[in-house]
């Protein structure tokens, strides 16, 4: 299952974590959802899963990309314009972060 929102629950971007979402949304998603996708930070992040949820910040689509930052939960981070492509079946979600030149800059599978 994939849930998307504008603000990140966890983030190492300019805005950081969203306390309200940690308190109200995260308990509902725990052990029910495999991916929480967001884009508020205008950077690229894949954060370690917590209670089965991976956290992915999609690349900046139309706004200026901001400098990327790392933290203890970081699996991948970068800064570029692009998009996230999801391909899924019953066993996995394949995630590709693609830049504006069509190059896959990061790829992972969530089982």
């Amino acid at each position: 299952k994939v849930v998307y929102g504008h603000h990140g629950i966890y983030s190492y971007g300019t805005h950081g974590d969203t306390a309200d979402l940690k308190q109200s949304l995260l308990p509902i998603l725990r052990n029910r959802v495999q991916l929480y996708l967001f884009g508020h930070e205008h950077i690229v992040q894949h954060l370690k899963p917590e209670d089965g949820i991976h956290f992915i910040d999609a690349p900046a689509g139309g706004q200026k990309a901001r400098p990327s930052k790392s933290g203890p939960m970081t699996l991948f981070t970068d800064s570029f314009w692009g998009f996230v492509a999801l391909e899924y079946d019953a066993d996995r979600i394949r995630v590709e972060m693609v830049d504006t030149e069509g190059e896959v800059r990061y790829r992972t599978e969530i089982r």
Side-chain angles (χ1 to χ4, degrees), residues 55-67:
F55 304 90
I56 291 186
D57 190 352
Q63 296 291 323
K64 181 179 177 185
R66 298 179 181 141

Side-chain angles (χ1 to χ4, degrees), residues 60-79:
Q63 296 291 323
K64 181 179 177 185
R66 298 179 181 141
S68 63
K69 300 176 186 178
S70 293
M73 291 178 69
T74 302
L75 293 173
F76 176 79
T77 190
D78 201 345
S79 179

Side-chain angles (χ1 to χ4, degrees), residues 9 17 19 43 60 66 68-69 73 76 79-80 83 97-98 104:
I9 296 172
D17 297 352
I43 61 175
R66 298 179 181 141
S68 63
K69 300 176 186 178
M73 291 178 69
F76 176 79
S79 179
F80 59 85
F83 62 92
M97 297 182 183
V98 183
V104 176

Side-chain angles (χ1 to χ4, degrees), residues 83-97:
F83 62 92
V84 172
L86 303 177
E87 180 182 317
Y88 53 90
D89 59 32
D91 299 320
R92 65 167 175 82
I93 303 169
R94 183 177 184 178
V95 180
E96 292 184 337
M97 297 182 183

Side-chain angles (χ1 to χ4, degrees), residues 16-104:
D17 297 352
T18 306
D20 290 347
L21 293 179
K22 275 200 243 183
Q23 183 179 8
S24 62
L25 182 61
L26 187 57
I28 297 168
L29 303 181
R30 282 192 163 112
N31 299 308
R32 291 177 157 165
V33 170
Q34 289 72 43
L35 174 59
Y36 181 74
L37 186 65
F38 63 100
H40 185 58
E41 298 288 1
H42 301 280
I43 61 175
V44 180
Q45 300 180 85
H46 179 194
L47 304 179
K48 291 179 185 176
E50 178 178 295
D51 296 323
I53 309 163
H54 289 255
F55 304 90
I56 291 186
D57 190 352
Q63 296 291 323
K64 181 179 177 185
R66 298 179 181 141
S68 63
K69 300 176 186 178
S70 293
M73 291 178 69
T74 302
L75 293 173
F76 176 79
T77 190
D78 201 345
S79 179
F80 59 85
W81 283 5
F83 62 92
V84 172
L86 303 177
E87 180 182 317
Y88 53 90
D89 59 32
D91 299 320
R92 65 167 175 82
I93 303 169
R94 183 177 184 178
V95 180
E96 292 184 337
M97 297 182 183
V98 183
D99 67 19
T100 56
E101 302 300 316
E103 179 183 342
V104 176

